Amino acid sequence: MKKGKLSLQAVIIIFVCIVVALSLGITDLIISKRITSSVEETEKEKALNVAKMVALSPQAIGALEGKANKKNVQVFTNQIRRKTNVNFVVVMDMKGIRLSHPEPEKIGKHFTGGDEGPVLKGKEYVSISTGTLGRSMRAFTPIKNTQGKQVGAVAVGISLESVTKALHKGRMGMVIGTLIGILIGVVGAVGLARYLKRILLGLEPFAIARLLEERSSMLQSVREGIIAIDQEGNITLVNRAASTLLKKAGLEGNPIGMNVEEYLPETRLTRIIKSGESEMDQEQNLHGVTILVNRVPVIVGNQPVGAIATFRDKTEVQVLAEQLTGVRNYADALRAQAHEFMNKLHVILGLVRTEQYDTLANYVSETVNHRETEVGFVTKKVQDPVLAGFLIGKLSFARESGALLSIECADKLPKPANSEITHELITIIGNLVDNAMEAIAQSSIKKVELKLDYAEDILTVEVKDTGMGMTKSLQNKILDKGFSTKGDNRGIGLYLLAQAIERLEGDLIISSKPGKGTNFAVYIPYNAEDE
């Protein structure tokens, strides 16, 4: 997975968790308000009912009128408090003096809180205030005698902490439900992600997008026109080259989504889907433009699900064929050069026999000028005299072997900062050239190309031959010590080559196909002396 990008499974899990948590959170908020309101109303109603019950009790009325023992009020209210599970039950006279309290030492003292005023004037209400027992919800009810005259009041308090606990208890179910919902969502998201990934062949969405972009770029960069259709015969792909050819044939507009039989009546692509057989190198006329077409069915699960046509203007193909026939001219030119060389030998032989030595000297001098030009090129391009002399020797060896060795060096190759590089280069180039010379021994065209390219502290050594080439399995073995196709006691040169490249921390790339020759490309770090 690419760094910084989440997998499909992670995205789905995160998304599901967010959606579940958000939806349940909103639900929790709405229900919590209702629970809060319900709990508050329940507690308020409870406090008022207890207060009314105490206000109607004979013990409270008798004590306030002086007809009963006031101590009985404390016993009575304590019983009520314990039975109803309230925080306090306080009975007070018209001056706010307590007749009962959960803490006996507070009896006889004035009621605390500052919210008792309205009840002493005959009003029944509920308030929230802080008293000696902390912050609480208080229900106030006036106490009246049998004649309807107010003789005192009762205050019943419920601790707000108790209310909060009741709220938390009511919300606990929602929290548990939220967690269970998230857990179920995660499990479902994992299952969904695995199902989708199996459908997507194990690829992540960003990998699919990148693959699609790459495939699209590749299809658009191909010079051949490409048209693809689906199983219903609708066009799904037209690359740039195809659009150009279609416009050349006078077919304008965007064909994507159109039925191929309507757009190209003679395309035969729908028949390819039905038959499942390919048609190669078929000619087709598009409004005066002759094209060469290959039609291939698209098979998925042994069933044709579409078809692809690749085509090219026949005129362009004919031009390429004419260019390829130029190879015959090159062969004729080589035969002419060989004949000319034999003629030169005959001239030299004739001049020797006629003892025209001055003329012979001039003739030979002119003949070797080419050789001097060759030497001058090497010494000019290769600044290291040891390496230059080595290359000149290889040129002579190739000429004596009847092969053509060409050396190409676009820019000057400076001397290396470390002379050890020169020795390693001699090992590398020598073994590559010798191996190439052996490879072309049985070839009709005996040609070896040596290319030196130095840029940005990297030296590229490329040796290409016109030999018989190698199979892939042979390429994997040729660098092994002792392995050779030329007999026993061989297989050392390319092994030494690999060792030298490894010492220079370079790279080797081998490109070869049977009958197509071989190309060795070596890339090594190269620090010049003047740097």
Side-chain angles (χ1 to χ4, degrees):
M1 186 179 66
K2 194 172 182 179
K3 186 177 180 181
K5 293 186 177 180
L6 295 175
S7 65
L8 176 63
Q9 180 170 305
V11 171
I12 294 178
I13 290 175
I14 293 173
F15 179 75
V16 169
C17 288
I18 291 175
V19 171
V20 172
L22 186 62
S23 58
L24 292 180
I26 294 174
T27 304
D28 176 63
L29 181 63
I30 296 172
I31 295 178
S32 294
K33 288 184 177 180
R34 294 184 178 179
I35 292 175
T36 300
S37 177
S38 176
V39 169
E40 289 180 351
E41 288 296 323
T42 300
E43 296 297 318
K44 185 187 295 184
E45 185 177 354
K46 173 183 174 181
L48 281 173
N49 288 336
V50 173
K52 291 177 180 178
M53 181 177 63
V54 173
L56 295 174
S57 65
Q59 293 91 332
I61 296 173
L64 289 170
E65 287 183 328
K67 298 178 180 179
N69 191 346
K70 293 182 179 181
K71 293 181 179 181
N72 294 334
V73 177
Q74 174 70 359
V75 175
F76 173 70
T77 56
N78 281 338
Q79 291 176 346
I80 295 296
R81 178 173 59 83
R82 286 191 292 267
K83 293 291 184 181
T84 57
N85 198 25
V86 297
N87 197 31
F88 63 84
V89 178
V90 175
V91 176
M92 68 188 82
D93 60 17
M94 294 302 293
K95 295 181 179 180
I97 303 302
R98 303 186 187 101
L99 275 67
S100 65
H101 193 276
E103 299 175 0
E105 64 272 14
K106 303 289 178 66
I107 297 174
K109 296 182 179 180
H110 198 279
F111 186 83
T112 304
D115 54 345
E116 73 280 5
V119 73
L120 296 176
K121 295 179 180 179
K123 185 178 180 181
E124 185 178 80
Y125 59 94
V126 176
S127 69
I128 295 176
S129 184
T130 302
T132 58
L133 297 177
R135 191 168 178 79
S136 59
M137 177 189 294
R138 306 177 175 199
F140 291 91
T141 299
I143 300 176
K144 299 179 180 180
N145 58 19
T146 54
Q147 288 78 30
K149 179 182 178 182
Q150 183 176 356
V151 294
V154 59
V156 176
I158 297 177
S159 174
L160 290 180
E161 184 178 352
S162 301
V163 176
T164 303
K165 287 181 179 179
L167 290 174
H168 287 168
K169 186 176 180 181
R171 295 181 61 185
M172 187 58 63
M174 279 301 303
V175 173
I176 294 174
T178 301
L179 294 176
I180 293 175
I182 292 176
L183 181 60
I184 294 174
V186 169
V187 173
V190 171
L192 177 61
R194 290 181 177 177
Y195 172 73
L196 292 176
K197 199 166 185 178
R198 186 168 60 252
I199 293 177
L200 300 177
L201 304 178
L203 296 175
E204 297 291 345
F206 60 84
I208 295 174
R210 185 177 65 248
L211 186 63
L212 181 61
E213 291 175 357
E214 291 174 355
R215 295 296 183 269
S216 178
S217 298
M218 292 168 62
L219 290 173
Q220 295 298 333
S221 62
V222 174
R223 290 193 63 183
E224 284 73 16
I226 300 175
I227 292 181
I229 64 171
D230 59 19
Q231 198 168 11
E232 286 73 32
N234 299 321
I235 299 175
T236 59
L237 171 68
V238 177
N239 73 340
R240 190 179 296 111
S243 297
T244 302
L245 275 174
L246 293 174
K247 288 180 181 179
K248 186 177 179 180
L251 297 170
E252 300 290 340
N254 184 10
I256 300 295
M258 295 180 61
N259 188 277
V260 71
E261 293 292 343
E262 298 176 1
Y263 190 72
L264 296 170
E266 299 179 3
T267 183
R268 293 177 56 87
L269 276 177
T270 52
R271 300 181 186 179
I272 296 297
I273 297 177
K274 295 177 182 178
S275 66
E277 298 180 356
S278 302
E279 294 181 357
M280 311 302 291
D281 301 323
Q282 300 293 311
E283 286 193 15
Q284 181 178 341
N285 187 281
L286 289 179
H287 298 252
V289 178
T290 303
I291 60 175
L292 289 178
V293 188
N294 297 318
R295 305 181 185 95
V296 180
V298 178
I299 307 297
V300 176
N302 297 324
Q303 293 293 329
V305 297
I308 294 179
T310 61
F311 51 92
R312 195 166 183 180
D313 192 338
K314 185 179 179 181
T315 305
E316 295 181 0
V317 178
Q318 289 174 338
V319 171
L320 289 175
E322 292 173 358
Q323 292 176 349
L324 290 175
T325 56
V327 174
R328 178 177 299 176
N329 296 330
Y330 295 146
D332 293 339
L334 288 174
R335 284 194 294 270
Q337 289 180 5
H339 186 266
E340 182 181 1
F341 182 71
M342 291 300 298
N343 289 337
K344 288 180 179 180
L345 290 179
H346 292 157
V347 171
I348 293 173
L349 180 61
L351 291 174
V352 170
R353 288 181 175 177
T354 58
E355 298 182 356
Q356 298 182 27
Y357 299 115
D358 291 338
T359 304
L360 175 61
N362 292 333
Y363 183 77
V364 172
S365 178
E366 291 175 359
T367 303
V368 299
N369 276 341
H370 174 69
R371 167 68 174 169
E372 293 177 353
T373 302
E374 189 178 72
V375 173
F377 170 79
V378 173
T379 55
K380 180 180 178 181
K381 291 293 185 179
V382 180
Q383 302 296 300
D384 188 343
V386 176
L387 184 59
F390 171 75
L391 294 177
I392 293 172
K394 284 297 178 184
L395 285 169
S396 300
F397 172 74
R399 192 177 295 106
E400 293 172 1
S401 301
L404 176 61
L405 172 61
S406 63
I407 298 178
E408 180 182 346
C409 187
D411 299 316
K412 288 183 178 181
L413 177 61
K415 291 181 64 175
N418 186 355
S419 61
E420 291 296 326
I421 296 180
T422 300
H423 300 299
E424 300 291 0
L425 280 177
I426 290 175
T427 299
I428 293 171
I429 297 175
N431 283 291
L432 286 177
V433 171
D434 291 346
N435 190 72
M437 295 293 291
E438 292 179 357
I440 64 173
Q442 305 299 323
S443 299
S444 57
I445 301 177
K446 295 179 173 58
K447 185 176 181 181
V448 177
E449 297 178 6
L450 169 61
K451 182 178 180 181
L452 302 175
D453 187 11
Y454 170 66
E456 298 181 356
D457 296 335
I458 297 294
L459 174 61
T460 302
V461 179
E462 189 173 356
V463 177
K464 184 178 181 180
D465 64 58
T466 56
M468 298 305 295
M470 296 180 290
T471 62
K472 194 67 177 177
S473 60
L474 187 58
Q475 295 177 42
N476 296 330
K477 299 177 181 179
I478 59 172
L479 299 181
D480 295 342
K481 185 177 181 181
F483 177 82
S484 176
T485 59
K486 305 178 182 68
D488 298 333
N489 300 319
R490 302 293 298 271
I492 300 299
L494 291 180
Y495 171 76
L496 296 176
L497 162 76
Q499 295 296 309
I501 294 173
E502 184 177 351
R503 284 192 293 270
L504 293 178
E505 298 181 352
D507 292 314
L508 171 65
I509 297 177
I510 304 174
S511 301
S512 182
K513 290 183 179 180
K516 301 293 184 180
T518 302
N519 185 33
F520 288 85
V522 179
Y523 305 91
I524 59 174
Y526 189 92
N527 296 321
E529 187 178 55
D530 56 352
E531 294 178 354

